[in-house]
Amino acid sequence: MAQIRLLNHRIRKRLPNIKIIFATWGNLSDELRDEIQNRFQPDAVVSTVNELMLGIDALMLQQGKNPARGLLAENEPERLAALHELQLLQPETLMIYQQYIEEACQAFNVKYAQISLVDETWVNTPASPLADENQNPIEAGIPREESICTHLVHQNEALIIEDIDRDPRFKHNPELNRNKIKSYAGVPLRTKQGLVLGSLCILDKQVRQMSEEDLVLLNQLADDLIQTLTSDKAQTQKLEEIAKLQQAQGESLQDVLS
């Protein structure tokens, strides 16, 4: 520890503006983390490569550099072309988005679910319950650099964050903080050609773990959604189902009131 303290002192003296991350590879002890933090005052203490990458992202954010701005899918041109060709923000699709969001909320007993379509600089979130009340529901969205779904599209797979406060990339995210979101679980909206257009996610105000069964169910909902969105016939069938469901609910309510 004495040698580490001396090295830390010399580095700080020569490079006062440098950021220092201590890595305790494989040692997950909170006691060791606290001891290192108290003794050497590093900018971060990590024990895995994943934590190291997250720590670097957090330091970049503190310096006003948002790493999300550079997160692009390998097939970004093809992905954007497919997204624009499908024209998924037509007014008639709003009920479809609302229905899938409601189904996801009910399936996982959460208040919020969201569908994200990741465009070049903007993430469209049609019918999102988190949207500003002044936004047109079909035009709701947030800047791409502020969206968790940007990271999901980049990594091309599901993204599970059980405790957002422990993830330095998102703990200061304005949208999540404004809505007091503590956990996120999202899966890709992937076309038959393998292009990820966005995500279907659930969000909770409590720290939440996702089981394998939960992830399977969320993927099934996402697959059903993308199949509906990418087929005119499927869209028509879904809208007919929604209309029948609304009619049945209206008749049930009428029976109760009469």
Side-chain angles (χ1 to χ4, degrees), residues 20 29 40 43 55 70 90 121 133 152 187 193 202 213 219 221 228 250:
I20 296 179
S29 167
F40 308 117
D43 296 283
Q90 302 304 313
T121 60
E133 60 182 11
L152 183 152
V187 295
Q193 293 73 33
I202 58 171
E213 291 78 10
N219 271 300
L221 282 172
T228 300

Side-chain angles (χ1 to χ4, degrees), residues 7 11-12 23 50 52-53 59 72 92 128 140 148 154 167 177 185 190 210 219 234 241 243:
L7 178 61
I11 292 174
R12 295 285 192 190
N50 184 55
L52 175 60
M53 300 306 296
L59 293 176
L72 300 176
E92 58 269 21
S128 171
I148 293 183
H154 172 69
D167 191 320
N177 288 341
R190 195 186 306 275
M210 290 285 286
N219 271 300
E241 291 175 9

Side-chain angles (χ1 to χ4, degrees), residues 16 52 62 69 104 139 147 155 178 187 211 238:
L52 175 60
Q62 291 174 14
R69 293 171 185 161
E139 297 175 354
S147 173
Q155 68 184 36
R178 182 172 62 253
V187 295
S211 66
K238 190 66 176 181

Side-chain angles (χ1 to χ4, degrees), residues 135-181:
Q135 285 184 306
N136 182 333
I138 198 65
E139 297 175 354
I142 57 175
R144 182 167 175 171
E145 63 190 52
E146 295 181 10
S147 173
I148 293 183
C149 299
T150 297
H151 296 258
L152 183 152
V153 170
H154 172 69
Q155 68 184 36
N156 198 33
E157 62 184 6
L159 178 59
I160 311 298
I161 305 172
E162 296 178 352
D163 186 352
I164 284 174
D165 287 341
R166 294 180 63 86
D167 191 320
R169 296 172 298 177
F170 309 117
K171 65 183 298 184
H172 300 299
N173 182 283
E175 181 188 25
L176 300 178
N177 288 341
R178 182 172 62 253
N179 293 286
K180 297 181 173 58
I181 301 300

Side-chain angles (χ1 to χ4, degrees), residues 86-145:
L86 287 169
Q87 298 183 354
L88 300 177
L89 298 176
Q90 302 304 313
E92 58 269 21
T93 61
L94 180 60
M95 285 194 296
I96 293 176
Y97 293 123
Q98 291 171 332
Q99 180 64 27
Y100 278 98
I101 286 173
E102 182 179 346
E103 289 178 10
C105 288
Q106 291 178 352
F108 294 97
N109 193 28
V110 294
K111 185 175 181 180
Y112 302 120
Q114 187 166 270
I115 296 163
S116 299
L117 304 171
V118 181
D119 211 331
E120 187 171 5
T121 60
W122 188 256
V123 176
N124 297 287
T125 57
S128 171
L130 299 176
D132 188 301
E133 60 182 11
N134 295 320
Q135 285 184 306
N136 182 333
I138 198 65
E139 297 175 354
I142 57 175
R144 182 167 175 171
E145 63 190 52

Side-chain angles (χ1 to χ4, degrees), residues 92-93 95-96 234-244:
E92 58 269 21
T93 61
M95 285 194 296
I96 293 176
Q235 283 192 36
T236 300
Q237 290 176 340
K238 190 66 176 181
L239 289 170
E240 290 175 352
E241 291 175 9
I242 294 171
K244 291 179 181 178

